[in-house]
Amino acid sequence: MSLKCGIIGLPNVGKSTLFNILTKSKIPAKNFPFCTIDPNIGISPVFDDRLSLISEIIHPENIVTSYVKFIDIAGLVKGAAKGSGLGNEFLSHIRTADAIIHIVRCFEDPNIIHVHNKISPAYDIEVVNMELILSDLQICEKELLKLKNQKNNIDIEHEKKIKILHICLKNLQNCKMIRAVFFNEKELELINYCKFITLKPILYLANVLENNNSIKYFNQLLNSNAVFKNTVISVNILSESHKKNSIVSKNKNFLNFTKNTSFKIHTIINSAYHLLKLQTFFTVGKKEVRAWEIHKGTTILEAAKKIHSDFKRGFIRAQVISYIDFINCNGENKAKALGKIRLEGKKYIVQDGDIIKFLFKV
């Protein structure tokens, strides 16, 4: 299953417009609250210069990018956790995302409706964050009650879940995001099924306008406690929406891309990619040069499965060359002659930029 990045924010802040830009979709993006009702899902290629440089050496028939899946969710309003707006239905869609892009309006325009009739990035973030916290609080309380009432199959793991959820509960009751708490991987695995929204990594995106007092509002956003230690990107969504499409779909699997794509859009897509803790490895051949997205820390055996289950089932070993060595050697032949190609076994942890040839037998 592809990883998803949810796009959230108040109504009418540019979520659907950004979604259309990122995924080359044409969903409605109108100047009124709740234009989006059902969630929209689309994919966006991850622009990676390494893919282009590898292809310049190989001259393959096809180039295939890695990608991020985006989900556009209707705007949240004050009281959403209690059912206001379209409330819990929208919040449930957010829970299916693995990471979040929170769009915040940082411009004045009397022609574009603001749900609070005032521009205040810090307050807007506070409203949305509080709804996320209240929603998680409901889930946490419900799950704790369920675990405490459970009488069968009580074990150490059960007690650990209760302990971790109590920590989550205390944080939420103090109006804090769960991600502010440090949990190790094993602890996170125990509560992963709860799909807490406030545990998901987040990117704040300031929607600005040129020749406007956006700088004032953008600085307010940067000075907000809510964005502390989080990535913040500014983008003129309206301006980006007017630019020509720079991605041409060759078919459902293959994409050609030009150098005209906006740097800002590259930044957003790549930031989402890293927010999801993804990295890239490549497979290279005359028919196809392809980028594959995997989680950081993935073993080469799991990377093999990403391509095909047979690759994992019949895995023998893999030939690995780093991207830098491949480029410096101008391809595989010189790299092999200089001893830059390594043989790796099942426990090897794939590194970002590895170029891999899998050897298998089924």
Side-chain angles (χ1 to χ4, degrees):
M1 181 183 295
S2 298
L3 296 175
K4 292 188 291 187
C5 194
I7 302 174
I8 70 167
L10 292 175
N12 225 33
V13 294
K15 298 183 301 300
S16 295
T17 304
L18 179 68
F19 176 84
N20 285 337
I21 297 167
L22 293 172
T23 64
K24 305 304 172 187
S25 301
K26 294 181 180 179
I27 64 169
K30 304 295 184 180
N31 184 23
F32 58 83
F34 309 119
C35 173
T36 301
I37 301 298
D38 296 320
N40 301 295
I41 299 176
I43 64 170
S44 182
V46 177
F47 296 89
D48 194 326
D49 289 337
R50 296 175 299 182
L51 194 59
S52 300
L53 293 174
I54 292 170
S55 299
E56 287 176 8
I57 293 172
I58 299 297
H59 303 294
E61 294 176 17
N62 293 301
I63 301 170
V64 187
T65 68
S66 55
Y67 64 90
V68 173
K69 184 177 286 186
F70 289 96
I71 176 168
D72 173 41
I73 301 162
L76 298 172
V77 295
K78 196 169 185 177
K82 296 181 179 179
S84 295
L86 292 178
N88 287 320
E89 184 180 346
F90 291 166
L91 289 166
S92 67
H93 297 320
I94 299 172
R95 294 191 186 281
T96 67
D98 302 284
I100 291 172
I101 294 178
H102 184 166
I103 301 181
V104 185
R105 178 170 170 173
C106 289
F107 66 87
E108 293 178 2
D109 188 333
N111 298 314
I112 300 179
I113 299 166
H114 190 291
V115 71
H116 297 141
N117 295 316
K118 66 176 181 179
I119 309 302
S120 176
Y123 180 69
D124 291 353
I125 290 175
E126 183 182 319
V127 168
V128 172
N129 284 353
M130 185 54 64
E131 296 310 316
L132 303 184
I133 287 168
L134 290 173
S135 180
D136 275 358
L137 183 60
Q138 291 176 15
I139 297 291
C140 192
E141 289 174 336
K142 192 179 295 184
E143 190 56 35
L144 270 171
L145 184 62
K146 179 180 172 183
L147 289 172
K148 287 178 180 178
N149 290 336
Q150 189 174 324
K151 296 179 181 179
N152 299 322
N153 301 320
I154 305 300
D155 55 15
I156 295 175
E157 188 174 279
H158 179 272
E159 295 302 319
K160 283 182 179 178
K161 279 184 185 178
I162 291 177
K163 183 178 178 180
I164 295 167
L165 286 172
H166 269 299
I167 295 172
C168 294
L169 182 67
K170 184 178 179 180
N171 226 55
L172 293 166
Q173 288 174 333
N174 289 325
C175 299
K176 295 180 181 178
M177 302 288 197
I178 298 176
R179 62 174 168 272
V181 183
F182 174 78
F183 291 119
N184 60 40
E185 285 188 22
K186 289 185 178 179
E187 289 171 331
L188 289 173
E189 285 175 7
L190 287 175
I191 60 170
N192 185 53
Y193 71 99
C194 294
K195 298 189 180 299
F196 289 126
I197 304 171
T198 64
L199 188 56
K200 301 178 190 298
I202 190 165
L203 164 70
Y204 287 96
L205 196 152
N207 187 6
V208 301
L209 290 182
E210 296 172 7
N211 302 320
N212 190 282
N213 51 11
S214 285
I215 187 67
K216 175 179 73 174
Y217 296 116
F218 181 60
N219 286 334
Q220 286 180 18
L221 174 63
L222 291 178
N223 293 327
S224 168
N225 289 331
V227 304
F228 184 62
K229 289 187 178 179
N230 290 296
T231 302
V232 181
I233 297 173
S234 66
V235 62
N236 186 331
I237 293 178
L238 183 63
S239 174
E240 296 294 338
S241 69
H242 291 156
K243 293 179 181 178
K244 293 181 179 179
N245 288 353
S246 56
I247 307 173
V248 181
S249 178
K250 194 169 183 180
N251 60 38
K252 65 178 181 179
N253 294 318
F254 307 118
L255 294 167
N256 286 330
F257 40 90
T258 71
K259 296 179 180 178
N260 298 323
T261 307
S262 165
F263 172 76
K264 280 290 183 180
I265 299 304
H266 280 204
T267 302
I268 295 168
I269 294 170
N270 288 329
S271 294
Y273 191 73
H274 293 299
L275 195 65
L276 293 164
K277 296 184 179 179
L278 298 175
Q279 65 180 21
T280 304
F281 75 90
F282 303 98
T283 52
V284 171
K286 284 293 182 182
K287 287 190 175 181
E288 176 184 288
V289 168
R290 180 165 186 160
W292 300 85
E293 73 279 356
I294 55 171
H295 271 117
K296 292 179 180 178
T298 297
T299 65
I300 202 159
L301 202 59
E302 289 304 311
K305 183 183 177 182
K306 178 80 178 180
I307 299 175
H308 198 285
S309 58
D310 283 350
F311 279 37
K312 179 181 179 181
R313 185 160 57 91
F315 183 89
I316 300 171
R317 59 186 178 276
Q319 295 179 351
V320 181
I321 177 174
S322 72
Y323 163 78
I324 294 297
D325 286 338
F326 186 89
I327 296 300
N328 288 341
C329 295
N330 199 38
E332 186 178 324
N333 291 338
K334 186 176 178 181
K336 188 174 183 179
L338 293 177
K340 298 294 184 180
I341 298 179
R342 315 184 307 274
L343 290 177
E344 300 289 357
K346 295 180 179 180
K347 294 183 179 180
Y348 174 72
I349 303 298
V350 178
Q351 301 300 303
D352 186 45
D354 276 351
I355 296 172
I356 305 175
K357 181 182 290 184
F358 293 95
L359 306 177
F360 69 102
K361 183 178 181 180
V362 290

